[in-house]
Amino acid sequence: MKIYKIPHPLQTIIFDIDSTLYTNAAYAFEQVDVQVRHYAALNGISDEEARQKVSDYRKRWAAEHGGQKISLANTLLSFGVPIATSVEWRKTLIEPADFLGEDKALIAALSALKQKYRLICVTNNPALPAQKTLDALGVSSLIEDIIALDTCWVSKPAREPFALAAQKTGAAESACLSVGDRYDIDLALPLEMGMGAIEVAGVQDVYELPSVLS
């Protein structure tokens, strides 16, 4: 866990979902790779060619942007795949329950946090697979809303989803804390917006948040 800033006062915690509220390398890989394979099939290239194309673009983009990372949605957008199209792909291709199950430790941690703070998610997945993920983990009732890729139709890092998360929870941006596993995607922009930020290495760090924020 790396703590960049904790707001005082703190009202809202904005959670990333994937590789933040769960740690499952196989599922994290499959979420990306199933879309890359689908892109390959639609464009008449091999899976490996498509993977290499995505990897090369991301490396080139990072080199041109000071080492920052780019989301898959924005990578696909650069290949001519509209956000709306990638949203539909994800709705049909991703099934969280095949990989994830109820996490009692996560339920306990979020239940403790919910006693003090508003909890909301901002994700680069569409709302449907995001909701299915929360359902599979057993934490849907603890998260009051999901700001998804098909909510604002822009992919993190973008200001709109974070601003909307603050608005929906009635919090000033300066009273929000963003929690995620990727600095460039989940945390850098919230910090610029005056929010707090905590980088987690996985769900084990999320389990510790009640004590960290106490």
Side-chain angles (χ1 to χ4, degrees):
M1 180 186 303
K2 184 170 183 178
I3 299 172
Y4 290 91
K5 176 184 175 183
I6 297 176
H8 298 285
L10 172 59
Q11 181 176 340
T12 294
I13 303 177
I14 302 170
F15 285 102
D16 173 51
I17 296 178
D18 297 299
S19 296
T20 295
L21 295 184
Y22 66 82
T23 302
N24 187 306
Y27 181 46
F29 174 81
E30 178 62 11
Q31 280 197 71
V32 172
D33 200 61
V34 71
Q35 296 174 74
V36 175
R37 297 196 306 268
H38 190 63
Y39 174 84
L42 292 175
N43 288 273
I45 61 177
S46 70
D47 294 348
E48 191 52 45
E49 285 176 307
R51 292 184 186 112
Q52 192 63 51
K53 182 175 180 179
V54 169
S55 176
D56 289 347
Y57 180 83
R58 283 178 149 175
K59 288 177 181 176
R60 186 168 64 253
W61 194 93
E64 294 170 352
H65 293 82
Q68 296 181 41
K69 296 178 181 178
I70 185 171
S71 69
L72 180 63
N74 283 334
T75 300
L76 291 172
L77 184 62
S78 75
F79 297 166
V81 179
I83 294 289
T85 299
S86 65
V87 163
E88 292 306 312
W89 291 3
R90 295 180 195 216
K91 285 181 179 179
T92 58
L93 297 172
I94 297 173
E95 190 50 67
D98 290 344
F99 294 85
L100 306 175
E102 184 179 77
D103 186 337
K104 295 186 184 302
L106 179 63
I107 293 169
L110 296 186
S111 296
L113 292 170
K114 192 173 177 65
Q115 294 179 25
K116 294 183 178 181
Y117 312 112
R118 307 282 291 272
L119 309 183
I120 192 167
C121 287
V122 171
T123 176
N124 276 347
N125 257 328
L128 181 59
Q131 186 63 60
K132 286 182 177 181
T133 298
L134 298 184
D135 290 344
L137 294 170
V139 298
S140 290
S141 64
L142 301 172
I143 302 294
E144 63 182 78
D145 209 343
I146 299 170
I147 311 299
L149 184 59
D150 48 351
T151 304
C152 298
W153 297 100
V154 290
S155 180
K156 295 186 292 183
R159 181 175 296 269
E160 293 91 336
F162 292 107
L164 184 58
Q167 178 185 331
K168 280 182 171 286
T169 57
E173 292 177 2
S174 60
C176 295
L177 170 66
S178 183
V179 177
D181 65 300
R182 298 172 297 178
Y183 177 81
D184 294 333
I185 305 295
D186 303 314
L187 307 177
L189 182 60
L191 284 169
E192 290 180 15
M193 295 170 69
M195 296 183 177
I198 293 180
E199 184 175 353
V200 297
V203 72
Q204 291 285 341
D205 286 345
V206 177
Y207 300 158
E208 302 301 319
L209 284 180
S211 60
V212 169
L213 299 176
S214 62

